[in-house]
Each structure stands twice: as structure tokens, then as C-alpha cells.
Amino acid sequence: MTKVHDILLKSQLFGGLPEDHLEKIKRISVDKHFNKGEIIFFDGDEGTGFYLVIEGSVNVYKVSSEGKEQILHIVKEGGTIGAVPVFSGKSFPANAQAISKSHLLFFPREKFINLITNNPSLTMNILALLSMRLRQFTIQIENLSLKKIPGRLAAYMLYLSQEQGNKDVIKLNISKFQLANLLGTGPESLSRALGNMKIRKLVEEEGANIRLVNRVGLEELAK
């Protein structure tokens, strides 16, 4: 089983589809490779298609009129980028940049729409993906507007734990600067919040990893 086929099978968008459908999907896709830091598309570019991450990770972000960057989400293997414009026929609503050397599959808009026209299973997968993305944005807005920085950080750690298989040791796949940006704060405030968590014996740092020592305490902080 190739890497591409394996990722397609595990992805939310294409997972569970029969083999013949996966083959058709692969046929219309185009391999794209990006180096670390390379821009995939800019906010306002025409949405001519969408991407699926095969290898690496991508930062999707907005830049305010004052030049402040706000990370919307980090997309990893199996995740999709730019799916909404494919169906709205509009431009990309944010920027996308490769965090590391990345391999993506590009799906041209017209070819993909032609493919799903007579494929209800794929259409349902797409609706599920867009619904999940809306829920993620709703949670992010709630976290940024209602929770203080320690609560945002605790909520993100618990989210990472769930994403990584409910492990007590989580791996931060982005820099602390990017994490601060994602949580809508600065590096200094993030460091203070993390330091306070360590003093309270909620977490321990183990190199690039973080051990969740007191899950109950983190859940209380995240409320």
C-alpha cells in the first residue's frame, strides 16, 4: 500500500470509500511539493481547487490590517486545505504556508465537482468535513473570546492529547511562537501560563513533549 493510498484511506474526506472510488480520486489529483516556509496560496487567491496533506504540515492563517498574524489551524497528514472555496466558487479566505517540507495532493475544482456529482457517499463525507471545520472555528472563537490564556492553553493540550490517542505525553508539532499565535497571545504570556502550570504540578516539560500530570486539574482550568 502506497503512502498516498494509506493517507486517502485514513482521511476524513475519503475514508471509507470503496477502492474504485479511491482510484478515480487519485487519477484527478496532482502531486504538489513545498519546501519549509513556502506559500501554498494567499488570502484572496482564486479557489481553483483544494489540497490534501500527504506528508508534512501546513499553517493556515489570517493577517490583520495592522500586520498581526492569527493562526486559524495547523493541518497535518490526512487533513484538507481550501475545501470551502471549491463549493462556494469564491477565493481562498486565508493564507496557507508549509511549516515543514510537505507533499500535498491538489484536486482541481471542476474535475472534483464532476466526480462527486453521482457519488452520494463522497458528498456526505464532504458535508461531515465542513461541519467539523465549522465546529472547530466555533470552539476557537469561544476560547479566544471567553477564556483566559491558561484556560486556552489547557484546552489545547487536552485537544492534542485526544488527537494523539488520549496519551498523557503530547508532542507539540509547532513552535511555541506559533502556539502562542494560535492561542491569540504572545510568547511571554504563553511562557508564564506554562510556567504556572508546571508550578501547580499540572504538567511537566520533557524536551519538545509535555506530560499531562493532572488531567482533572487541566479540565477544570479549561472550563
Side-chain angles (χ1 to χ4, degrees), residues 9 11 24 43 45 51 55 73 81 92 98 109 119 126 135 145 148 150 154 156 159 167 189 202 214 223:
L9 275 177
S11 69
K24 291 176 182 178
D43 186 351
D45 283 353
Y51 299 82
E55 193 168 16
H73 46 265
I81 309 162
F92 290 117
R109 181 176 185 272
N119 190 336
I126 291 166
R135 182 174 179 274
S145 60
K148 294 182 179 180
Y156 185 73
Y159 162 76
K167 294 181 179 178
S189 298
L202 298 176
N214 184 347
K223 287 182 178 178

Side-chain angles (χ1 to χ4, degrees), residues 64-212:
S64 70
S65 56
E66 293 80 24
K68 182 180 179 182
E69 182 179 306
Q70 174 63 57
I71 294 176
L72 302 178
H73 46 265
I74 304 295
V75 184
K76 302 169 187 175
E77 291 183 4
T80 57
I81 309 162
V84 173
V86 169
F87 307 103
S88 67
K90 297 181 180 179
S91 58
F92 290 117
N95 307 281
Q97 181 182 39
I99 294 176
S100 58
K101 189 173 181 179
S102 301
H103 173 198
L104 279 62
L105 287 186
F106 176 71
F107 296 90
R109 181 176 185 272
E110 289 186 11
K111 290 184 178 179
F112 189 75
I113 288 178
N114 288 338
L115 182 65
I116 68 172
T117 300
N118 297 310
N119 190 336
S121 297
L122 184 51
T123 303
M124 291 304 295
N125 279 17
I126 291 166
L127 288 173
L129 173 73
L130 297 181
S131 297
M132 183 194 74
R133 188 61 51 81
L134 178 61
R135 182 174 179 274
Q136 287 174 339
F137 277 129
T138 301
I139 292 172
Q140 185 174 17
I141 290 168
E142 178 184 312
N143 286 340
L144 293 178
S145 60
L146 300 179
K147 293 180 182 176
K148 294 182 179 180
I149 295 166
R152 299 177 204 171
L153 180 56
Y156 185 73
M157 287 179 176
L158 292 168
Y159 162 76
L160 275 187
S161 174
Q162 183 181 29
E163 186 185 57
Q164 296 175 14
N166 289 317
K167 294 181 179 178
D168 287 330
V169 178
I170 58 174
K171 182 177 181 180
L172 292 179
N173 294 317
I174 55 177
S175 69
K176 287 185 178 177
F177 179 83
Q178 289 170 323
L179 176 57
N181 188 303
L182 180 64
L183 297 178
T185 187
E188 298 83 2
S189 298
L190 176 67
S191 293
R192 283 196 295 271
L194 182 58
N196 185 259
M197 284 183 177
K198 290 190 286 186
I199 291 171
R200 294 172 60 185
K201 305 296 184 183
L202 298 176
V203 300
E204 293 175 355
E205 277 195 279
E206 299 179 352
N209 299 329
I210 294 178
R211 179 178 293 279
L212 309 187

